[in-house]
Amino acid sequence: MHFLSADLEDYIQNHSENEPQLLQELTRETHLKVVRPRMLTGHFQGRVLSVLSKIIYPKNILEIGTYTGYSALCLAEGMQKNGQLHTIDINEELQDIQERYFSRSPYKDQIFQYVGDAKKIIPQLERTFDLVFIDAEKKDYPDYFELVMKKTHPGSVILSDNVLWSGKVVEPLDRKDKVTPILLDFNKKLKEDPRVETVLLPIRDGLTLSRVL
């Protein structure tokens, strides 16, 4: 996941916006109590999500993959005053930590949580989204993308995380690896899909920005 030297990563983080106190506390608790804390969005990428959201100024945000709620809180920073953020995660064991930190944020009444299979939940959401963040099961990325395309409009932005997959997308394939080929196809699809214009950003583990045409 780390493509730059530790010194460069520190320099980039130190010359970006500071991490809010609430998110510092969430980071600490996630590392202490939750399995695989490396899944946390983290300071630098979190500030990227925050700034992108502020530029887009979305009324409705959809997040697929809540984890402990860090990225949701970052995205919510750019939401319109009467906006809503809908976030889905399949792991009900993470609900408690999500709810505690959401309730301490200024967006507590604007964040709506769902537990279950995103592929079943997304079709039930009766609204269109200005901003979508895909960060759940990588093998399901193609399905998520097609489902959210039906819930967007021209100008909507879809962000897809972990698309470089720790660099495996440019390494020789392991025959036992079932996920990397899916991400390779997904990245190719986004590049060639006439419904969107796409740029793959080398941020952390790869973040693709697709704008709906």
Side-chain angles (χ1 to χ4, degrees):
M1 185 179 291
H2 298 281
F3 304 113
L4 300 175
S5 69
D7 288 341
L8 271 175
E9 287 190 346
D10 287 343
Y11 184 87
I12 291 167
Q13 183 166 291
N14 292 335
H15 289 79
S16 299
E17 287 295 310
N18 293 332
E19 184 179 37
Q21 179 63 34
L22 181 64
L23 294 179
Q24 291 180 32
E25 294 175 22
L26 176 54
T27 297
R28 189 178 306 115
E29 183 167 348
T30 300
H31 278 82
L32 286 172
K33 298 181 179 179
V34 182
V35 176
R36 294 192 296 171
R38 72 191 292 269
M39 290 173 58
L40 196 74
T41 295
H43 175 186
F44 172 63
Q45 186 175 357
R47 292 306 86 203
V48 171
L49 295 179
S50 171
V51 169
L52 285 174
S53 184
K54 288 169 182 172
I55 292 169
I56 297 165
Y57 193 47
K59 182 174 182 180
N60 292 306
I61 301 173
L62 173 62
E63 178 184 56
I64 306 170
T66 316
Y67 193 48
T68 55
Y70 192 106
S71 53
L73 290 169
C74 295
L75 293 166
E77 293 177 23
M79 191 164 49
Q80 294 182 24
K81 189 174 182 180
N82 62 340
Q84 294 184 358
L85 187 150
H86 297 256
T87 184
I88 306 167
D89 201 280
I90 200 164
N91 189 351
E92 62 182 16
E93 294 180 1
L94 296 175
Q95 262 194 304
D96 175 65
I97 188 170
Q98 296 165 9
E99 289 174 351
R100 282 192 288 107
Y101 282 87
F102 290 162
S103 68
R104 292 174 56 193
S105 78
Y107 322 106
K108 59 184 179 181
D109 297 323
Q110 297 170 268
I111 298 177
F112 298 84
Q113 296 167 261
Y114 306 82
V115 176
D117 185 347
K119 290 182 288 185
K120 296 179 180 178
I121 294 171
I122 294 168
Q124 299 174 22
L125 300 177
E126 297 180 352
R127 62 186 62 238
T128 57
F129 295 95
D130 312 296
L131 176 59
V132 178
F133 184 47
I134 302 175
D135 187 21
E137 284 288 342
K138 311 311 166 193
K139 64 181 177 59
D140 292 327
Y141 268 30
D143 293 331
Y144 296 148
F145 187 81
E146 290 304 323
L147 288 169
V148 300
M149 278 297 295
K150 298 173 183 177
K151 300 290 182 178
T152 58
H153 56 78
S156 292
V157 171
I158 302 171
L159 302 172
S160 306
D161 200 18
N162 302 114
V163 291
L164 294 180
W165 205 227
S166 298
K168 292 179 183 178
V169 291
V170 293
E171 296 174 355
L173 279 176
D174 183 337
R175 285 182 294 178
K176 297 178 182 178
D177 184 349
K178 304 299 183 184
V179 176
T180 303
I182 293 172
L183 283 175
L184 287 169
D185 287 344
F186 178 73
N187 292 339
K188 184 173 184 291
K189 171 185 170 56
L190 294 193
K191 169 67 167 60
E192 298 174 352
D193 195 323
R195 299 171 297 174
V196 294
E197 54 182 346
T198 290
V199 60
L200 199 165
L201 305 172
I203 294 171
R204 201 160 175 253
D205 196 27
L207 181 69
T208 294
L209 188 158
S210 302
R211 177 178 173 271
V212 179
L213 299 175

